[in-house]
Amino acid sequence: MLEKFYPQEYLDSTYAIDFDRMYAEGYRGVIFDIDNTLVPHGAPADERAEKLFSHLKELGFGCMLLSNNKEPRVKMFNDAVQVSYIYKAGKPSVKNYIRAMELLGTNRENTLFVGDQIFTDIYGANRAGIRTILVKPIHPKEEIQIVLKRYLEKIVLFFYHHKQKELEGVKK
């Protein structure tokens, strides 16, 4: 039942993802959440984010920001990284994940989604059929509605980790 919320990968940080390997595996588009995925909530793009997007573009990735925030917030971040974006995305609705792939010229098989929230980011991308990477939030300071969801996410992650250990046992 909870599997629909499970990411394909769970990593400490967006900046720990081996995008070179992902490109070699055939991925061509990356859709990112912004807040607490790339920078702390509400922060502008920092040097680390700018370097990441520069590297992704050099590799040949198409990049898209997909945020539930209003346009001024998304545009402020995007001014530094210069990629496409969709604001007020309505995640976990599938509609704008599909629109993002259309704009990138990618499809479900060659697109990645990176985000920090299970019930919006990962659930929506899973429903859209995109490979999902959940990352740990960058900063603990979050809006109250997100803080409350984090408690529920801990339950999902408990079962996710249990399932991962089972799968590792089967491989051995």
Side-chain angles (χ1 to χ4, degrees):
M1 179 183 127
L2 293 176
E3 286 84 3
K4 62 188 170 192
F5 299 111
Y6 294 171
Q8 273 83 49
E9 286 186 73
Y10 181 37
L11 300 172
D12 287 338
S13 167
T14 299
Y15 302 98
I17 299 169
D18 186 347
F19 287 105
D20 293 61
R21 178 177 57 86
M22 297 294 184
Y23 193 84
E25 289 177 7
Y27 290 96
R28 295 298 179 262
V30 188
I31 304 170
F32 290 97
D33 175 54
I34 301 171
D35 288 323
N36 258 343
T37 298
L38 292 162
V39 292
H41 187 82
D46 56 18
E47 184 179 338
R48 186 166 68 160
E50 290 176 24
K51 283 182 181 176
L52 172 65
F53 282 95
S54 177
H55 180 66
L56 291 171
K57 291 174 193 177
E58 286 172 11
L59 286 172
F61 275 108
C63 300
M64 173 73 65
L65 304 173
L66 187 66
S67 176
N68 284 348
N69 272 303
K70 294 176 182 166
E71 187 172 25
R73 162 60 186 135
V74 180
K75 186 179 180 320
M76 175 189 59
F77 181 89
N78 191 56
D79 284 345
V81 298
Q82 296 294 305
V83 298
S84 299
Y85 65 86
I86 297 172
Y87 62 94
K88 289 172 66 173
K91 295 179 288 184
S93 171
V94 173
K95 181 178 93 173
N96 281 314
Y97 291 90
I98 293 168
R99 183 165 166 244
M101 287 186 283
E102 289 169 354
L103 292 169
L104 288 171
T106 61
N107 58 49
R108 290 170 167 88
E109 290 75 37
N110 66 3
T111 305
L112 302 166
F113 181 85
V114 182
D116 70 299
Q117 292 189 57
I118 289 174
F119 299 115
T120 51
D121 298 330
I122 301 305
Y123 180 51
N126 282 343
R127 291 174 55 222
I130 303 169
R131 180 171 175 179
T132 54
I133 302 174
L134 177 68
V135 295
K136 293 179 182 172
I138 289 175
H139 195 275
K141 185 176 181 276
E142 296 180 297
E143 296 172 343
I144 187 66
Q145 70 271 19
I146 297 171
V147 171
L148 297 173
K149 283 193 279 186
R150 294 289 184 202
Y151 288 105
L152 296 173
E153 286 184 352
K154 286 180 183 177
I155 295 166
V156 173
L157 288 172
F158 172 82
F159 288 103
Y160 168 78
H161 289 302
H162 182 73
K163 178 90 170 175
Q164 293 305 110
K165 286 179 184 172
E166 281 179 10
L167 292 172
E168 288 173 16
V170 170
K171 289 179 187 174
K172 290 180 183 178

